[in-house]
Amino acid sequence: MSKDKLVVVGGDAAGMSGASKAKRENPDLEVIVFEKKDIVSFGLCGVPYYVSGVVKNLEDLIAITPEQFREKRNIDVRTEHEVLNIDPENKQIVFQKQQKGETTANYDKLLIATGARAKKPSIYKESLKNVFTLRWLTDGEKVRNFIEKKAPEHVVVTSGYIGLEMAEAFREHGLEVTVLAKYDNLLPMVDQEIADIIEEELREHDVELRKDRVVTDFKYKNEGTISEVITNKESIETDLVLLSIGAKPAVELAKDAGINLGSTGAITVDERMQTNLKDIYAAGDCVECAHLVSEEKAFLPLGDIANRQGRVAGTNIGGGEGRFPGVLGTAITKIFDLGIARTGITEKEAKELDFDYITSTITQGTRAFYYPGGKRLTIKVIVERGNGRLLGVQLAGKGEVSLRINAFASLVSSGTPVQEIQYLDLAYAPPYSPAWDPIQTAAKVAASKL
Ligand code: FAD
């Protein structure tokens, strides 16, 4: 009897998690991964740190090689194989090896994990020599090579969490940095009070910020090299530009096969990560997620979500029972010495969604006042009026922010009201927190406003 065959399209976070989990769940399954690039399982999130030099070599960002997948997990990884077409009726894909010829392969189950790609403004052209976007390891390599070989003195970066991480990377190389923000709030994933703290951090690191700016054109020094960025307000001379204006889901393959897309433009899946077509699953940046607070669909291209969704898809494909519960939009980023994190919804989102809410913002030290090394931490909470449910939390601080945002994410997820959070039995010792942890203080202040 021939083995059941899983074909995975896309060999990064979602695809390789799905492939690995399906194989573990059902070792008899034949698993083939088609990846159009020459690598799989790469850490895109590490690209800003490769550009800064914290990560020395590009290869350091590759978690597992195709050979290791073959030898250790018995997964047939085919790099430089691009899937061109899916024929759901005949359970077949059409693919091309190294951009030559066309061949077909059959599947019993298919996992689409085609990810996302960088949004590019219409003025951008691939042929530009000193204007870059950032989505793949090779993009990071091009930027670092440009810095090392051309020694630019000034860079224009668009705002957004990746742009701000890159601003830090460019300062590490001694470049003068101008950040262009499209809105008055330079990082709309957080509210203005938190964005103000980021602005202060940029000033401290001599980064120039210009708000309400949109890049409209370039002025050229010669063909392929720009000398000025033209915005809606002014022209800025520069010798390097990084356009990081977001990502869009790579869904053409799915759409052409008759797979439903949702309101966000990404693929619609159910809790099992199954699409509307039988035996076709999808996971990662190409799908939209159910947001557990807003109860709306969201496009949240984040690596941790892609890994979890891939695992759920793999569990179901392998014959197990997996459910993806949805997301809270939890995210964290480091901007110079500042950690910025969020979970749930922002105040702006709460307003747009018509929630009846209160907010409160506190700033407190992260250790007992007499113990050295404590850092100030600002916490903004958005709380539903009446029942005290946490709708969202944002943090900004120079100390450890990830542990507290993760605690808050659990509390948003469980629906624990602030009236209970203020008396939660959290750990205390002077080197780690004050007697009232900032989590309890934030809840206490919010509870008093309800
Ligand atoms: P992708 O990583 O996009 O992989 C999709 C794969 O499918 C690609 O390898 C592509 O070549 C392949 N493919 C597409 N179409 C085909 C086809 N037709 N045939 C064959 N192969 C195909 N997330 C976080 O959570 N935290 C962070 O700090 C963070 N930092 C980031 C920093 C940067 C600079 C970038 C670019 C992203 C960052 N992300 C971060 C986002 C994170 O990298 C993505 O969410 C994650 O890579 C998504 O994984 P994926 O497998 O869904 O898609």
Side-chain angles (χ1 to χ4, degrees), residues 40 52 118 136 141 174 224 237 251 286 305 347 351 365 368 381 383 405 407 419 429-430:
V40 292
S52 72
W136 305 115
E141 189 175 31
E237 268 185 46
V251 292
C286 59
I305 297 177
E347 180 176 3
K351 203 174 282 173
V381 293
V383 176
I405 201 65
Q419 302 91 313

Side-chain angles (χ1 to χ4, degrees), residues 8-16 34-37 39-40 42-49 81-84 113-117 134-136 161-162 165-166 250 253 283-286 300-307 330 332-333:
V8 179
V9 191
D12 193 22
M16 296 319 301
F34 288 84
E35 167 53 57
K36 66 181 173 187
K37 299 189 182 303
I39 48 170
V40 292
F42 40 87
L44 286 178
C45 315
V47 169
Y49 309 105
H81 281 61
E82 180 172 7
V83 176
L84 304 175
T114 44
R117 52 177 74 99
L134 204 64
R135 176 70 202 180
W136 305 115
Y161 86 91
I162 292 175
E165 286 176 359
M166 286 298 289
L253 205 58
D285 281 7
C286 59
L300 287 168
L302 290 170
D304 58 310
I305 297 177
N307 274 300
T330 310
I332 187 164
T333 184

Side-chain angles (χ1 to χ4, degrees), residues 70-177:
R70 275 182 219 117
E71 283 160 22
K72 297 194 175 147
R73 302 195 186 175
N74 200 7
I75 293 172
D76 179 358
V77 177
R78 302 193 188 167
T79 50
E80 297 183 90
H81 281 61
E82 180 172 7
V83 176
L84 304 175
N85 199 357
I86 300 167
D87 173 1
E89 213 135 283
N90 297 305
K91 288 195 153 186
Q92 203 169 64
I93 57 156
V94 179
F95 67 92
Q96 207 170 41
K97 184 179 170 186
Q98 292 170 335
Q99 300 180 337
K100 281 186 225 112
E102 283 189 11
T103 318
T104 58
N106 293 323
Y107 64 82
D108 297 295
K109 300 261 162 67
L110 184 73
L111 172 59
I112 301 176
T114 44
R117 52 177 74 99
K119 278 190 191 162
K120 296 176 184 174
S122 54
I123 48 164
Y124 173 80
K125 289 185 238 126
E126 292 294 336
S127 57
L128 289 172
K129 294 189 188 109
N130 58 346
V131 181
F132 299 94
T133 59
L134 204 64
R135 176 70 202 180
W136 305 115
L137 298 202
T138 44
D139 297 331
E141 189 175 31
K142 283 182 204 158
V143 176
R144 190 158 129 182
N145 281 345
F146 185 88
I147 296 171
E148 286 169 359
K149 292 194 177 129
K150 305 284 178 188
E153 291 177 1
H154 180 263
V155 59
V156 170
V157 187
T158 50
S159 188
Y161 86 91
I162 292 175
L164 294 174
E165 286 176 359
M166 286 298 289
E168 180 184 343
F170 290 127
R171 286 299 291 139
E172 287 292 323
H173 287 278
L175 274 79
E176 282 176 40
V177 179

